[in-house]
Amino acid sequence: GNHLWAEKYDADLGDLFAVQDEVIDRITARVGAQMSSAEFARAKQIRPEDLSTWEAVQRALGIFSTDALSPATLPGILKDLRQAAERDPDYPYVHSVLAWTLFSFASSGYSTDWAADFSEADKHLKIGYRLAKDDPLNLLYCGAAFSHSGRQERAIDLLTRSLAGNPFSADALLY
């Protein structure tokens, strides 16, 4: 961990709640700005070579966020993610989201060959994790994939690490 904030604070403790609110406001203003800068720097380090790779990942995530996961929508999403992983093999999110999508597809009963889907998902999960094992967003995607594969202890470990890096991640908190 990095040192983000320190300040001497002298105040009349007559209204303890007002003092507490003021201290919290100062901390969040100072630390929040530094965390945003750190997140921006991190995001600049992990980017796709091709914008269409990012688009494929965003479309897949949209399926999860809109509850549109169905036998009709998933084959197209899987095709786009597979092509994106081939096109941009060093972009960790495409592998992690592809693994998550494949595990979701198979565990939802939509797969016609769940063993092959689980095998392919495991391959992409390993690649995605290896490429960005300390990135909070990638840890979220990997944790979600592990959760859908039934490996809850590993999912909890990765999601806990994701939250340590980004304690305000609503998605990680949901899992």
Side-chain angles (χ1 to χ4, degrees), residues 142-163:
C142 291
F146 273 110
S147 179
H148 282 275
S149 73
R151 295 175 280 186
Q152 300 306 323
E153 287 184 23
R154 184 68 172 137
I156 290 169
D157 174 54
L158 295 182
L159 292 167
T160 300
R161 288 177 48 210
S162 174
L163 285 168

CSV table of all heavy atoms in Angstrom, one decimal, residues 142-163:
chain,number,residue,atom,x,y,z
A,142,CYS,N,-12.4,-12.7,-13.4
A,142,CYS,CA,-11.9,-14.1,-13.1
A,142,CYS,C,-12.7,-14.7,-11.9
A,142,CYS,O,-13.1,-15.9,-12.0
A,142,CYS,CB,-10.4,-14.1,-12.8
A,142,CYS,SG,-9.3,-13.7,-14.2
A,143,GLY,N,-13.0,-13.9,-10.9
A,143,GLY,CA,-13.8,-14.3,-9.8
A,143,GLY,C,-15.2,-14.7,-10.2
A,143,GLY,O,-15.7,-15.8,-9.8
A,144,ALA,N,-15.8,-14.0,-11.1
A,144,ALA,CA,-17.1,-14.3,-11.6
A,144,ALA,C,-17.0,-15.6,-12.4
A,144,ALA,O,-17.9,-16.5,-12.3
A,144,ALA,CB,-17.6,-13.2,-12.5
A,145,ALA,N,-16.0,-15.8,-13.2
A,145,ALA,CA,-15.8,-17.0,-14.0
A,145,ALA,C,-15.7,-18.2,-13.0
A,145,ALA,O,-16.4,-19.3,-13.2
A,145,ALA,CB,-14.6,-16.9,-14.9
A,146,PHE,N,-14.9,-18.1,-12.0
A,146,PHE,CA,-14.7,-19.2,-11.0
A,146,PHE,C,-16.1,-19.5,-10.3
A,146,PHE,O,-16.4,-20.6,-10.1
A,146,PHE,CB,-13.6,-18.9,-10.0
A,146,PHE,CG,-12.3,-19.3,-10.4
A,146,PHE,CD1,-11.3,-18.3,-10.7
A,146,PHE,CD2,-11.9,-20.6,-10.5
A,146,PHE,CE1,-10.0,-18.7,-11.1
A,146,PHE,CE2,-10.7,-21.0,-10.9
A,146,PHE,CZ,-9.7,-20.1,-11.2
A,147,SER,N,-16.8,-18.4,-10.0
A,147,SER,CA,-18.1,-18.6,-9.4
A,147,SER,C,-19.1,-19.4,-10.3
A,147,SER,O,-19.7,-20.4,-9.8
A,147,SER,CB,-18.7,-17.3,-9.0
A,147,SER,OG,-20.0,-17.4,-8.4
A,148,HIS,N,-19.1,-19.1,-11.5
A,148,HIS,CA,-20.0,-19.8,-12.5
A,148,HIS,C,-19.5,-21.2,-12.8
A,148,HIS,O,-20.3,-22.1,-13.2
A,148,HIS,CB,-20.2,-19.0,-13.8
A,148,HIS,CG,-21.1,-17.9,-13.6
A,148,HIS,ND1,-22.5,-18.1,-13.8
A,148,HIS,CD2,-20.9,-16.6,-13.3
A,148,HIS,CE1,-23.1,-16.9,-13.6
A,148,HIS,NE2,-22.2,-16.0,-13.3
A,149,SER,N,-18.2,-21.5,-12.5
A,149,SER,CA,-17.7,-22.8,-12.7
A,149,SER,C,-17.9,-23.7,-11.5
A,149,SER,O,-17.5,-24.9,-11.5
A,149,SER,CB,-16.2,-22.8,-13.1
A,149,SER,OG,-15.4,-22.4,-12.0
A,150,GLY,N,-18.4,-23.1,-10.4
A,150,GLY,CA,-18.7,-23.9,-9.2
A,150,GLY,C,-17.5,-23.9,-8.2
A,150,GLY,O,-17.6,-24.6,-7.2
A,151,ARG,N,-16.4,-23.2,-8.5
A,151,ARG,CA,-15.3,-23.1,-7.6
A,151,ARG,C,-15.3,-21.9,-6.7
A,151,ARG,O,-14.6,-20.9,-7.0
A,151,ARG,CB,-14.0,-23.2,-8.5
A,151,ARG,CG,-13.9,-24.5,-9.2
A,151,ARG,CD,-12.7,-24.6,-10.1
A,151,ARG,NE,-13.1,-23.9,-11.4
A,151,ARG,CZ,-12.3,-23.9,-12.5
A,151,ARG,NH1,-11.1,-24.5,-12.4
A,151,ARG,NH2,-12.7,-23.2,-13.5
A,152,GLN,N,-16.2,-22.0,-5.7
A,152,GLN,CA,-16.5,-20.8,-4.9
A,152,GLN,C,-15.4,-20.3,-4.1
A,152,GLN,O,-15.2,-19.1,-3.9
A,152,GLN,CB,-17.7,-21.1,-4.0
A,152,GLN,CG,-19.0,-21.5,-4.8
A,152,GLN,CD,-19.4,-20.5,-5.9
A,152,GLN,OE1,-19.2,-19.3,-5.7
A,152,GLN,NE2,-19.8,-20.9,-7.0
A,153,GLU,N,-14.6,-21.2,-3.5
A,153,GLU,CA,-13.4,-20.7,-2.7
A,153,GLU,C,-12.5,-19.9,-3.5
A,153,GLU,O,-12.0,-18.8,-3.0
A,153,GLU,CB,-12.7,-21.9,-2.0
A,153,GLU,CG,-13.5,-22.5,-0.9
A,153,GLU,CD,-12.8,-23.7,-0.2
A,153,GLU,OE1,-11.5,-23.7,-0.3
A,153,GLU,OE2,-13.4,-24.5,0.4
A,154,ARG,N,-12.2,-20.3,-4.7
A,154,ARG,CA,-11.3,-19.5,-5.5
A,154,ARG,C,-11.9,-18.2,-5.9
A,154,ARG,O,-11.3,-17.2,-6.0
A,154,ARG,CB,-10.9,-20.3,-6.8
A,154,ARG,CG,-9.8,-19.7,-7.6
A,154,ARG,CD,-8.5,-19.5,-7.0
A,154,ARG,NE,-7.5,-19.1,-7.9
A,154,ARG,CZ,-6.6,-18.1,-7.6
A,154,ARG,NH1,-6.5,-17.6,-6.4
A,154,ARG,NH2,-5.8,-17.7,-8.6
A,155,ALA,N,-13.2,-18.3,-6.2
A,155,ALA,CA,-14.0,-17.1,-6.6
A,155,ALA,C,-13.9,-16.1,-5.4
A,155,ALA,O,-13.7,-14.9,-5.7
A,155,ALA,CB,-15.4,-17.4,-6.9
A,156,ILE,N,-14.2,-16.5,-4.2
A,156,ILE,CA,-14.2,-15.6,-3.1
A,156,ILE,C,-12.8,-15.0,-2.9
A,156,ILE,O,-12.7,-13.8,-2.6
A,156,ILE,CB,-14.6,-16.4,-1.8
A,156,ILE,CG1,-16.1,-16.7,-1.9
A,156,ILE,CG2,-14.3,-15.6,-0.6
A,156,ILE,CD1,-16.6,-17.6,-0.8
A,157,ASP,N,-11.7,-15.8,-3.1
A,157,ASP,CA,-10.4,-15.3,-3.0
A,157,ASP,C,-10.1,-14.1,-4.0
A,157,ASP,O,-9.7,-13.0,-3.6
A,157,ASP,CB,-9.4,-16.4,-3.2
A,157,ASP,CG,-7.9,-15.9,-3.2
A,157,ASP,OD1,-7.5,-15.2,-2.3
A,157,ASP,OD2,-7.2,-16.2,-4.2
A,158,LEU,N,-10.5,-14.4,-5.2
A,158,LEU,CA,-10.2,-13.3,-6.3
A,158,LEU,C,-11.1,-12.1,-6.1
A,158,LEU,O,-10.7,-11.0,-6.3
A,158,LEU,CB,-10.4,-14.0,-7.7
A,158,LEU,CG,-9.4,-15.0,-8.0
A,158,LEU,CD1,-9.7,-15.5,-9.5
A,158,LEU,CD2,-8.0,-14.6,-7.9
A,159,LEU,N,-12.4,-12.4,-5.7
A,159,LEU,CA,-13.3,-11.2,-5.5
A,159,LEU,C,-12.9,-10.4,-4.3
A,159,LEU,O,-13.0,-9.2,-4.3
A,159,LEU,CB,-14.7,-11.7,-5.4
A,159,LEU,CG,-15.3,-12.3,-6.7
A,159,LEU,CD1,-16.6,-13.1,-6.4
A,159,LEU,CD2,-15.5,-11.3,-7.7
A,160,THR,N,-12.3,-11.0,-3.3
A,160,THR,CA,-11.8,-10.3,-2.1
A,160,THR,C,-10.6,-9.5,-2.5
A,160,THR,O,-10.5,-8.3,-2.1
A,160,THR,CB,-11.5,-11.3,-1.0
A,160,THR,OG1,-12.6,-12.0,-0.6
A,160,THR,CG2,-10.9,-10.6,0.2
A,161,ARG,N,-9.7,-10.0,-3.3
A,161,ARG,CA,-8.6,-9.3,-3.8
A,161,ARG,C,-9.0,-8.1,-4.7
A,161,ARG,O,-8.5,-7.0,-4.7
A,161,ARG,CB,-7.6,-10.2,-4.6
A,161,ARG,CG,-6.9,-11.1,-3.6
A,161,ARG,CD,-6.0,-12.1,-4.3
A,161,ARG,NE,-5.1,-11.5,-5.3
A,161,ARG,CZ,-4.7,-12.1,-6.4
A,161,ARG,NH1,-5.0,-13.4,-6.6
A,161,ARG,NH2,-3.9,-11.5,-7.2
A,162,SER,N,-10.1,-8.3,-5.5
A,162,SER,CA,-10.6,-7.3,-6.4
A,162,SER,C,-11.1,-6.1,-5.5
A,162,SER,O,-10.9,-5.0,-5.8
A,162,SER,CB,-11.8,-7.8,-7.3
A,162,SER,OG,-12.4,-6.8,-8.0
A,163,LEU,N,-11.8,-6.5,-4.5
A,163,LEU,CA,-12.4,-5.4,-3.6
A,163,LEU,C,-11.3,-4.7,-2.8
A,163,LEU,O,-11.4,-3.5,-2.5
A,163,LEU,CB,-13.4,-6.0,-2.6
A,163,LEU,CG,-14.7,-6.4,-3.2
A,163,LEU,CD1,-15.6,-7.2,-2.3
A,163,LEU,CD2,-15.5,-5.1,-3.6
